[in-house]
Amino acid sequence: DFFRDAAPYHHLRTQVLPALLRHSPAPRVMSAACSDGAELFSLAMCLAEHGAPTQARFLGIDCRQQAVNTAEAAWYPGAAMGAIPQDFRERFLVPAKNGFRIADCLRAAARWHKADICSFAAEAPCDLIACRNVAIYLEPHAADRLWQRLHAALGPGGILFAGKAERPPAPFVRIAPCLFK
C-alpha cells in the first residue's frame, strides 16, 4: 500500500530523509519484495518532497513477474490513493482511465527487476532499503540470510525500512518505528 504505517513515514519525511540527503544527495533506494511498486513510489514521493528525484535512483525487486509488470505500468485504482497526502496526489498522480498513473518524473527514476531478494546483488550500495513484512514469513535461517544480504547491500549510514513485526538482528540498530541503521 502507499504510505503504509503513518508513524515511520512521518519520521522518514521529517528526520531520516533530510539527514540522508545531506550524506548522499543522489540516494539509491531499493524496495525488496516491491510487489506492485506502491512502497517504492511512496519513498520516491518523500524524497521528491526534499528535492531529490532527479538525482535519486529507485530499484524495485520482486520474485513475481506479474508484480514487476504492475509496478512498471505505474497505474493504480483510485481506491489505492487514500493514504497519499493531498499535496503529493496533486504533484505526483496523473488521472488515467479508472484510476491514476504515477507522474513521469518518478517513473523515469525507477527500475524494476524480477529476482529473488535472497540472492540478488545490488549494483552499488543502497542508501535506503525497504523490505517490509517479508522476514516474518520466512524460516529463521532464511530470515537471517535475508537480513545479512540487506545489511551487505546498504552503504555506510544506510537505512533499513522494515515491517512493524520485524526486528532485524545486530548489527542493525533501531532508530525509530520500523527504521534501522
Side-chain angles (χ1 to χ4, degrees):
D1 293 340
F2 287 96
F3 293 90
R4 179 179 35 174
D5 302 330
Y9 271 100
H10 174 75
H11 197 82
L12 266 171
R13 290 173 68 189
T14 60
Q15 295 181 29
V16 173
L17 294 181
L20 181 86
L21 289 169
R22 284 191 296 276
H23 169 71
S24 179
R28 291 183 46 86
V29 179
M30 180 170 66
S31 177
C34 68
S35 191
D36 67 1
E39 191 112 68
L40 189 63
F41 283 129
S42 296
L43 294 170
M45 290 178 204
C46 291
L47 280 159
E49 176 181 35
H50 296 284
T54 57
Q55 304 102 334
R57 292 292 167 246
F58 302 94
L59 174 62
I61 300 167
D62 201 283
C63 64
R64 300 165 298 141
Q65 187 62 52
Q66 182 58 44
V68 170
N69 293 346
T70 300
E72 284 178 332
W75 176 91
Y76 301 91
M81 305 294 126
I84 299 176
Q86 185 60 39
D87 59 324
F88 287 2
R89 289 184 205 184
E90 293 167 6
R91 286 178 62 191
F92 304 118
L93 300 180
V94 177
K97 187 177 182 180
N98 298 320
F100 294 89
R101 191 170 171 107
I102 300 298
D104 289 344
C105 63
L106 298 183
R107 290 179 48 231
R111 292 186 356 235
W112 309 94
H113 290 288
K114 179 184 178 282
D116 179 342
I117 60 173
C118 288
S119 60
F120 182 81
E123 296 169 7
C126 296
D127 299 294
L128 173 62
I129 296 176
C131 187
R132 306 190 67 206
N133 302 313
V134 175
I136 58 174
Y137 296 106
L138 300 176
E139 295 292 329
H141 70 280
D144 287 343
R145 193 171 87 229
L146 172 64
W147 297 128
Q148 290 169 5
R149 297 219 29 110
L150 295 175
H151 183 266
L154 279 170
I159 302 295
L160 173 67
F161 191 5
K164 276 186 189 180
E166 295 170 323
R167 302 292 179 265
F172 287 108
V173 176
R174 184 177 184 267
I175 58 172
C178 304
L179 299 167
F180 299 82
K181 204 166 201 177

